[in-house]
Amino acid sequence: MNLAALRSTIASYRGAPPVTRAFVVARFLVAPVGPLDAELRGRSGRVLSLGSGLCMLERYLAETNPNLEFVGIDLDEAKVDLIASTQERSPRVTLRRGDATAIDEPAVYDTVLICDALHHFPAESHARVAQAVAAALVPGGQALVKDLDVAPRWKYHWNRLHDRLVAGPEPIHCRPVGEMAQIFEAAGLVVEEQRRLDHALAPYAHYLIRLRRPDEPSGENKLAQTVDDPA
């Protein structure tokens, strides 16, 4: 982890309630920030982040990747207000209120990031979210899905306890990494990599899926397809 970026990120919440700042610090102790940073290193453009919460991950990634601009979506109006009130200390990260399970964004994003949000979304919404993610990406754009597996069961139950303490009693909807990858693949994205990020004895069952929206055919290829297919 980049310690200078971490310090800047934590400092960007200056003036926020102490419990909020403590949560930000605790989040960095749990989330596998390094692998996500590595996936975005060298990329540029706009990043859409779903279920961003307090945007601590987005602010950190903006610090380490100066050519990226982050647009977050979250239902919590208080979090939207907090990010707006401190935005001058992280100007390339914005957060707007919205339902991340019902987005309808144009294809203007180079990357879509979903970090530890999908298991909070209803299971029946996962396919719809995957389709919306595919529609929001530019051709060749990348999606990164970081979430929690259902196995081993002791990790799942620990994750469930963690979410009860942090997010409340609502059920969680974890899926195995392969199953989640298939949902996004069915939405038209290409699975480039899927892997576990957790260590055997670590209590969180982290995994990461990297996907890509296929490049659209060139103008010449489109013309050839039109000629070959009279329909």
Side-chain angles (χ1 to χ4, degrees):
M1 187 181 296
N2 185 313
L3 293 181
L6 178 61
R7 286 193 295 268
S8 295
T9 301
I10 294 172
S12 73
Y13 293 90
R14 188 169 63 251
V19 66
T20 298
R21 301 188 71 185
F23 180 83
V24 168
V25 173
R27 179 77 170 117
F28 280 112
L29 296 176
V30 173
V33 177
L36 288 168
D37 186 19
E39 291 288 347
L40 289 171
R41 192 61 57 88
R43 294 186 66 85
S44 61
R46 303 182 72 192
V47 181
L48 176 66
S49 181
L50 303 185
S52 308
L54 290 168
C55 291
M56 65 282 285
L57 176 63
E58 291 78 6
R59 286 187 169 185
Y60 175 86
L61 294 173
E63 287 286 337
T64 57
N65 299 277
N67 295 319
L68 293 176
E69 175 186 346
F70 292 81
V71 178
I73 296 177
D74 198 273
L75 271 176
D76 193 330
E77 188 71 48
K79 291 174 181 174
V80 173
D81 291 342
L82 187 148
I83 295 305
S85 69
T86 58
Q87 188 180 349
E88 64 181 13
R89 292 191 284 276
S90 186
R92 286 183 289 108
V93 178
T94 58
L95 181 65
R96 71 171 188 263
R97 188 177 185 278
D99 185 349
T101 70
I103 63 167
D104 184 15
E105 297 287 318
V108 297
Y109 295 97
D110 302 279
T111 304
V112 176
L113 174 65
I114 316 177
C115 183
D116 291 335
L118 277 167
H119 68 273
H120 291 293
F121 299 166
E124 61 271 17
S125 74
H126 290 175
R128 183 172 68 250
V129 171
Q131 292 163 3
V133 167
L137 285 167
V138 299
Q142 171 181 273
L144 297 173
V145 176
K146 156 65 191 74
D147 217 273
L148 299 170
D149 209 329
V150 296
R153 294 303 288 177
W154 74 269
K155 291 192 179 188
Y156 170 81
H157 290 302
W158 173 261
N159 298 160
R160 183 69 193 100
L161 174 62
H162 172 101
D163 278 331
R164 280 187 181 275
L165 295 174
V166 174
E170 291 80 6
I172 60 174
H173 306 279
C174 299
R175 294 180 187 269
V177 57
E179 182 178 314
M180 189 67 82
Q182 288 176 355
I183 289 175
F184 280 83
E185 192 171 35
L189 298 178
V190 176
V191 178
E192 294 189 324
E193 185 179 13
Q194 57 187 58
R195 69 183 193 272
R196 292 288 291 257
L197 301 178
D198 55 318
H199 300 291
L201 299 180
Y204 297 97
H206 300 296
Y207 65 72
L208 179 67
I209 308 170
R210 186 196 331 123
L211 308 114
R212 178 178 53 82
R213 177 177 170 179
D215 293 319
E216 293 182 348
S218 66
E220 181 178 342
N221 288 339
K222 286 182 179 179
L223 179 60
Q225 289 173 0
T226 302
V227 172
D228 292 340
D229 183 5

